[in-house]
Amino acid sequence: MNEIIARISSYNLFNYLLPGVIFSVLVEKFTVHSFVIENIIVAAFVYYFVGLVISRIGSLIIEPFLKLTKFLKFADHKDFIIASKSDEKIEILSEQNNMYRTFVSMFFLFLLLKLYDTLKPFCLLTREFDGYIISLLLVCLFLFSYRKQTKYITSRILLIKKWYVWNSNFQCWCG
């Protein structure tokens, strides 16, 4: 267990585990639902997963919505990569930025859960469908997360490829 804890990056701690724990405590305290688990090892994995889901919702729904409404304006990804190579603080600031986004997502989901609890008695669907609905939403969430991550990796590879082509052309031209 100590090895697992030692391998957890600050990003994973502040963007997955911490929001997962806080969300679970809020849900336990203010709703009829519960994610609180007594077994510390199982709890750590459950809270990490809950935080991962919260983070993905922030990345796939909250962030694009805030960009669309012009509440946020991001630099081009290419410029971010170049700038982060010359200023290591940008990576730290980006990690903190993602943590804020995750907390916005966490509170948004908490409000949705409270709204769901309020409207549930008026819904035609019974509790037996909750598992199906949650499963379908999670499949969609991680499917789009997978697509976004693949796009991110591909863009980094293409950027590096362009840099190498440019650099080799420059060397040949200067050589």
Side-chain angles (χ1 to χ4, degrees), residues 15-72:
N15 283 287
Y16 300 152
L17 192 57
L18 180 63
V21 170
I22 292 172
F23 183 79
S24 298
V25 169
L26 287 172
V27 166
E28 177 79 17
K29 181 98 173 138
F30 297 108
T31 73
V32 297
H33 308 281
S34 178
F35 297 123
V36 175
I37 297 169
E38 298 300 319
N39 181 320
I40 190 80
I41 295 171
V42 174
F45 284 104
V46 169
Y47 300 150
Y48 185 90
F49 180 75
V50 168
L52 175 67
V53 169
I54 292 168
S55 177
R56 295 303 82 216
I57 290 171
S59 176
L60 294 171
I61 297 170
I62 303 294
E63 182 179 294
F65 173 77
L66 293 175
K67 284 180 178 177
L68 183 70
T69 61
K70 307 285 190 228
F71 187 82
L72 294 177

Side-chain angles (χ1 to χ4, degrees), residues 119-165:
L119 297 177
K120 184 66 178 173
F122 306 105
C123 257
L124 296 176
L125 296 175
T126 61
R127 281 240 180 248
E128 67 187 56
F129 291 108
D130 287 354
Y132 294 111
I133 293 168
I134 290 170
S135 296
L136 181 61
L137 290 173
L138 287 173
V139 166
C140 291
L141 179 70
F142 284 101
L143 195 61
F144 283 100
S145 293
Y146 181 49
R147 182 175 78 174
K148 182 178 180 181
Q149 189 71 10
T150 301
K151 182 179 175 185
Y152 176 74
I153 293 167
T154 302
S155 72
R156 291 202 54 144
I157 290 169
L158 292 175
L159 185 64
I160 291 169
K161 182 180 174 184
K162 285 179 186 178
W163 183 85
Y164 277 115
V165 168

Side-chain angles (χ1 to χ4, degrees), residues 71-122:
F71 187 82
L72 294 177
K73 182 172 175 21
F74 279 45
D76 286 338
H77 182 65
K78 178 177 75 172
D79 294 339
F80 170 79
I81 292 172
I82 292 167
S84 62
K85 296 238 185 277
S86 58
D87 183 355
E88 59 197 44
K89 186 121 176 147
I90 290 176
E91 288 287 336
I92 295 166
L93 294 170
S94 179
E95 184 177 311
Q96 290 173 339
N97 201 39
N98 289 341
M99 182 182 69
Y100 298 142
R101 180 193 66 205
T102 300
F103 276 94
V104 168
S105 177
M106 178 187 71
F107 291 119
F108 174 73
L109 286 173
F110 179 72
L111 286 171
L112 279 181
L113 184 61
K114 291 293 288 175
L115 181 65
Y116 171 80
D117 285 346
T118 303
L119 297 177
K120 184 66 178 173
F122 306 105

